[in-house]
Amino acid sequence: MTVREIFESMEYGPAPEAASDALAWIAEKGCRFGHFIDGAFTAPGETFQTRNPATGDALAEVTQASQADVDAAVAAARKALPGWEGLGGPGRARFLYALARLVQKHARLLAVLETMDNGKPIRESRDIDVPLVARHFYHHAGHAQLMEGEMPGARALGVCGQIVPWNFPLLMLAWKIAPALAMGNTVVLKPAEWTPLTALCFADLCLQAGLPKGVVNIVTGDGAVGERIVVAEVDKIAFTGSTAVGRRIREATAGRGISLTLELGGKSPYIVFEDADLDSAVEGLVDAIWFNGGQVCCAGSRLLVQEGIAPEFHARLRDRMDKLRVGDPLDKAIDVGAIVDPKQRDRIAELVDAHGSEGEVHRAACDIPRGCYYPPTLIAGLSPASPLMQEEIFGPVLVSSTFRTPAEAVEIANNTRYGLAASVWSENINTALDVAPKLAAGVVWVNGTNMFDAAAPFGGVRESGFGREGGPEGLWAYARIGAPGKALKPVAAFKGDTAEPQPVDRTAKLYVGGKQARPDGGYARNVFDAKGGLIGQAPIANRKDVRNAVEAARGASAWAGATAHNRAQVLYYVAENLAARADEFAARIDRMTGGKAGAAEVEASVARLFTYGAWCDKVDGRAAQAPVRGIALALREPCGVIGALCPDEAPLLGLVSVVGPAIAMGNRVVAVASQPFPLAALDFYQVLDTSDVPGGVVNILAGDHAELAKTLAAHADVDAVWSFSSSDVSGAVERAAAGNLKRTWVNDGRARDWTGTAGEGRAFLDAATEVKTVWVPYGA
């Protein structure tokens, strides 16, 4: 074909990428791989094949890790930990810089290996994945270099078990290994069964970089290997994968006192308003759903189009779909490659065949090769309740519905159990920036999609998981401050046998929705002082009281929209009113606890309320320095409804230390008072009544922590649960929270000094907020 003919026909391709170097690397290793443990490759054991999904050809034999292999890898990581952390940040930075440069030097080899093993187009591996891998190691080398000055007191968590998926095998490895190493941790990583080759090639780079033995260990195999890592003696688990597996990991790690971050599934909305640049929105949609064949957790798989432009937009989209090129992933002229494995292709087909008839199905009129391929597909006209609108398909299938108003768009977009990402398309910046904060998503792209960078945090809410990867937010997920507190002994209530009547009889009530409420069960218990004298009665809340309190908290959502300045005024008012009754509260605390520190506790509680009033408008977001023509804003948002089990040992200060940061950041709280000493909390709601706290913002229950903890943690309308109880409820909270994968913050049976710096500050503010990254590209 002549140049003239090319310009007349606009035909292009094929432009195949040579696979010879990648195949030579595999052959050099004997086409059989063991694990990478303690700085060396082990001899291959029981193996399985990894195949090229585009051709079905076997690429290599990879070892299935046994329990002994996992134990050896964890032991090697544990042995290497003191030396690696002892290098200090600048010492570790040198190795991370070396790894970044080696990734760049071997970029083509890594890209071709990734494409052959995964099936994604070589253009994506070469131009997106591998450059981002290098970027993550460079970025986190910088964090390591600056750590000692910028993160004083930060220490490594320890040995990190990391499990990565098959859709971005090398990139997910970098997302996890780079921050872990920067903070001084050591790693045991398991790549996905279907795509292990680039992880094994990365092990080769670790050898070339001279990385100390045992710092990075890589074990291969199926899901059973991941299960062995999860239950191993590690200090952290980081997992990227399906929501179902993430839920099982949450249950398996519950009560063990280890750190956990989960980046899970998504059903991300792609919202197109009538004033959008339609051609740009169509091109963006090609990137959103057919990038990596739709096998992306944050794929824009749910198209929502404003009703007035829907026919035209769908017509343009179908026309663009028909021009997509599907074929050999090593062809640089290909748009959509192969599905990673026949099992995944069959799963996609089953979902579409079962529910596709509910809408209008359009399959791209392009040539589809034989083998592990699936045609780009659009299914329009679906109801929001359709399984295809709700379930993650994880393939090149786009589902679509319409909306009329921005409010309806937000409602439909948030009508999902997921909350990973979203895209908003509008030429009106007012519309885009009005809608973005209202979307339940950890990442929002404005007039763009699939923008990632090491400086910008990525992660989800709801059943898309918790924790962030990238930026300082992701870095702190691999660090700790200080040593764990001493073991916390359960605090028991005093006993007595004094009978009624009391000098002043008060009916024991809860505080729900801004009103005093009798407990649903009608039960109360006597509260005695240290001498056995009857002080009063405390209500005993049950499951229905929790339900009522959560409903009241959910109904007070306007608090999140109040300005930080206004929230601060309310907290100052609460502090002033508490101070006015200081003597009364001090006497109550002294009599309940049998101590003499009541006045100091009240004084500290007043100061803490002023502190969190001061913090209200000081917890800022930031502009991430991502190398894009635009801005990536890491914004702080309230978690929502927080259930909190308050400390037993500090009945008033503990309550204030938990409620204060939560409401300062715009959350609503269901607080369970100190179990042995509840009366201070029940007196405190009288202060709230006189301090302009809107009804439902703070709800106070009393009762058995072990019983109420499970109910709170299992409640689907609670967004986070904190437990500082002296009762052994941490494991129960984490297990119950697995139901909808809500965030948890528990004490693991360890004491906290509520009067000192450990009782306030950034840790509480971070736990009370989610980070939402909003990407706003710009340019004429």
Side-chain angles (χ1 to χ4, degrees):
M1 181 179 287
T2 65
V3 173
R4 178 191 181 98
E5 290 170 333
I6 290 172
F7 275 103
E8 288 177 348
S9 67
M10 294 306 291
E11 286 292 330
Y12 58 94
E17 177 71 46
S20 53
D21 287 349
L23 292 172
W25 179 82
I26 295 171
E28 178 187 318
K29 302 298 180 183
C31 299
R32 299 181 77 240
F33 291 87
H35 312 297
F36 184 69
I37 298 175
D38 202 21
F41 282 98
T42 65
E46 178 187 346
T47 62
F48 59 92
Q49 286 186 333
T50 180
R51 293 180 174 274
N52 183 334
T55 63
D57 295 338
L59 293 172
E61 297 281 336
V62 181
T63 298
Q64 169 73 12
S66 65
Q67 183 64 59
D69 293 326
V70 172
D71 292 344
V74 172
R78 183 70 63 190
K79 182 180 178 182
L81 180 62
W84 179 246
E85 186 176 14
L87 275 179
R92 295 191 296 273
R94 300 298 184 269
F95 289 100
L96 289 164
Y97 284 128
L99 286 169
R101 289 191 293 271
L102 284 165
V103 167
Q104 291 177 317
K105 291 175 183 177
H106 298 283
R108 191 56 59 94
L109 169 64
L110 292 167
V112 174
L113 269 178
E114 196 81 314
T115 288
M116 291 172 63
D117 211 16
N118 169 275
K120 64 175 62 184
I122 185 65
R123 289 187 301 111
E124 296 176 7
S125 300
R126 181 195 65 197
D127 299 341
I128 299 172
D129 292 24
V130 174
L132 270 175
V133 170
R135 164 72 174 150
H136 271 266
F137 280 101
Y138 275 124
H139 181 78
H140 286 95
H143 275 304
Q145 182 72 29
L146 301 174
M147 173 186 172
E148 292 169 8
E150 296 299 312
M151 302 173 68
R155 293 286 310 277
L157 285 174
V159 176
C160 300
Q162 302 179 325
I163 303 167
V164 297
W166 44 260
N167 54 344
F168 293 94
L170 188 61
L171 182 55
M172 295 297 99
L173 175 150
W175 279 23
K176 288 178 169 52
I177 285 184
L181 298 192
M183 291 296 96
N185 302 277
T186 54
V187 168
V188 177
L189 179 134
K190 188 196 89 69
E193 176 187 6
W194 290 338
T195 54
L197 292 184
T198 47
L200 294 168
C201 189
F202 178 78
D204 240 2
L205 301 187
C206 290
L207 289 173
Q208 294 178 42
L211 199 69
K213 293 180 179 180
V215 171
V216 169
N217 304 272
I218 295 173
V219 292
T220 53
D222 58 15
V225 180
E227 291 175 8
R228 293 182 183 118
I229 292 175
V230 167
V231 300
E233 292 297 320
V234 296
D235 303 293
K236 177 183 175 65
I237 292 292
F239 171 77
T240 297
S242 73
T243 294
V245 175
R247 186 175 288 111
R248 294 202 299 271
I249 291 174
R250 168 72 285 181
E251 292 169 347
T253 56
R256 290 170 51 196
I258 66 174
S259 178
L260 175 66
T261 50
L262 299 172
E263 196 265 282
L264 307 176
K267 193 70 178 176
S268 301
Y270 189 98
I271 306 170
V272 182
F273 286 95
E274 59 191 2
D275 60 358
D277 179 334
L278 297 192
D279 287 331
S280 294
V282 167
E283 277 310 305
L285 190 51
V286 169
D287 180 44
I289 183 59
W290 292 301
F291 174 60
N292 199 15
Q295 300 166 111
V296 183
C297 54
C298 57
S301 57
R302 215 167 23 120
L303 172 63
L304 309 178
V305 187
Q306 199 154 16
E307 204 169 79
I309 60 165
E312 180 183 359
F313 187 83
H314 283 128
R316 294 191 191 194
L317 177 59
R318 287 191 293 268
D319 183 61
R320 180 66 180 89
M321 287 173 63
D322 292 344
K323 294 179 174 63
L324 292 172
R325 296 169 69 103
V326 181
D328 178 9
L330 283 175
D331 184 348
K332 293 185 282 289
I334 286 299
D335 298 308
V336 183
I339 302 300
V340 68
D341 189 87
K343 291 180 181 178
Q344 178 63 15
R345 189 225 173 268
D346 293 345
R347 179 185 176 277
I348 296 166
E350 287 170 8
L351 278 168
V352 173
D353 292 346
H355 304 287
S357 59
E358 298 172 17
E360 178 186 343
V361 179
H362 176 78
R363 291 186 171 87
C366 53
D367 295 332
I368 307 297
R370 283 191 170 189
C372 200
Y373 293 88
Y374 195 87
T377 302
L378 167 66
I379 307 176
L382 291 169
S383 73
S386 168
L388 293 179
M389 290 288 286
Q390 293 293 327
E391 297 302 321
E392 188 177 34
I393 301 171
F394 222 65
V397 179
L398 175 67
V399 297
S400 177
S401 65
T402 60
F403 66 89
R404 295 180 180 178
T405 65
E408 186 182 10
V410 171
E411 184 177 357
I412 296 173
N414 290 344
N415 181 23
T416 172
R417 59 195 175 101
Y418 297 109
L420 189 53
S423 292
V424 179
W425 288 78
S426 171
E427 289 298 285
N428 187 331
I429 195 66
N430 292 315
T431 299
L433 294 184
D434 176 57
V435 169
K438 298 175 182 177
L439 297 173
V443 180
V444 179
W445 295 296
V446 174
N447 292 335
T449 189
N450 284 338
M451 287 178 274
F452 310 101
D453 186 67
F458 180 87
V461 297
R462 296 180 172 178
E463 293 191 32
S464 290
F466 47 80
R468 293 293 181 265
E469 295 185 293
E473 297 83 0
L475 202 67
W476 277 110
Y478 287 94
R480 61 180 171 85
I481 294 290
K486 296 180 180 180
L488 184 63
K489 296 179 180 179
V491 180
F494 295 121
K495 296 180 180 180
D497 54 7
T498 306
E500 300 275 15
Q502 300 174 67
V504 178
D505 184 55
R506 284 177 50 198
T507 302
K509 290 184 179 179
L510 309 170
Y511 190 64
V512 176
K515 299 177 182 179
Q516 299 180 34
R518 295 179 186 273
D520 172 70
Y523 289 100
R525 74 172 180 86
N526 290 330
V527 179
F528 298 97
D529 62 21
K531 297 179 180 180
L534 182 66
I535 306 175
Q537 284 80 31
I540 300 176
N542 64 13
R543 181 180 296 270
K544 187 175 180 182
D545 295 313
V546 171
R547 185 196 69 185
N548 293 342
V550 172
E551 184 178 352
R554 186 60 65 183
S557 58
W559 180 248
T563 67
H565 174 73
N566 285 344
R567 294 198 300 270
Q569 303 312 299
V570 171
L571 279 163
Y572 294 145
Y573 199 11
V574 174
E576 291 166 359
N577 285 332
L578 177 60
R581 296 176 59 182
D583 292 344
E584 174 191 343
F585 273 87
R588 172 75 91 176
I589 291 169
D590 284 344
R591 190 173 178 199
M592 272 196 309
T593 62
K596 297 181 180 180
E601 183 169 339
V602 175
E603 183 180 351
S605 298
V606 172
R608 197 142 290 170
L609 286 165
F610 274 110
T611 294
Y612 285 118
W615 268 118
C616 281
D617 59 358
K618 311 295 190 304
V619 180
D620 297 324
R622 64 183 182 88
Q625 295 296 310
V628 296
R629 194 170 181 219
I631 189 168
L633 299 172
L635 306 177
R636 292 279 184 169
E637 295 185 335
C639 295
V641 175
I642 297 176
L645 295 135
C646 297
D648 291 323
E649 63 274 25
L652 179 63
L653 181 59
L655 173 79
V656 166
S657 298
V658 168
V659 169
I663 67 173
M665 295 298 99
N667 300 281
R668 293 87 70 202
V669 181
V670 177
V672 181
S674 165
Q675 185 171 328
F677 310 129
L679 296 184
L682 302 180
D683 289 342
F684 185 68
Y685 64 58
Q686 297 172 6
V687 175
L688 299 178
D689 269 339
T690 59
S691 304
D692 294 341
V693 179
V697 171
V698 178
N699 305 273
I700 300 176
L701 307 179
D704 182 80
H705 281 194
E707 179 182 336
L708 297 178
K710 296 176 184 177
T711 304
L712 268 176
H715 200 298
D717 244 5
V718 173
D719 301 295
V721 177
W722 302 352
S723 175
F724 301 104
S725 174
S726 68
S727 301
D728 183 17
V729 298
S730 295
V733 165
E734 291 178 330
R735 275 186 290 275
N740 68 344
L741 289 164
K742 59 174 65 69
R743 287 175 60 179
T744 60
W745 186 24
V746 299
N747 62 3
D748 294 309
R750 296 286 176 175
R752 181 180 289 267
D753 179 9
W754 293 101
T755 62
T757 56
E760 64 179 357
R762 278 286 182 180
F764 290 84
L765 298 166
D766 289 344
T769 53
E770 292 281 9
V771 177
K772 174 182 283 184
T773 305
V774 179
W775 292 77
V776 187
Y778 50 72

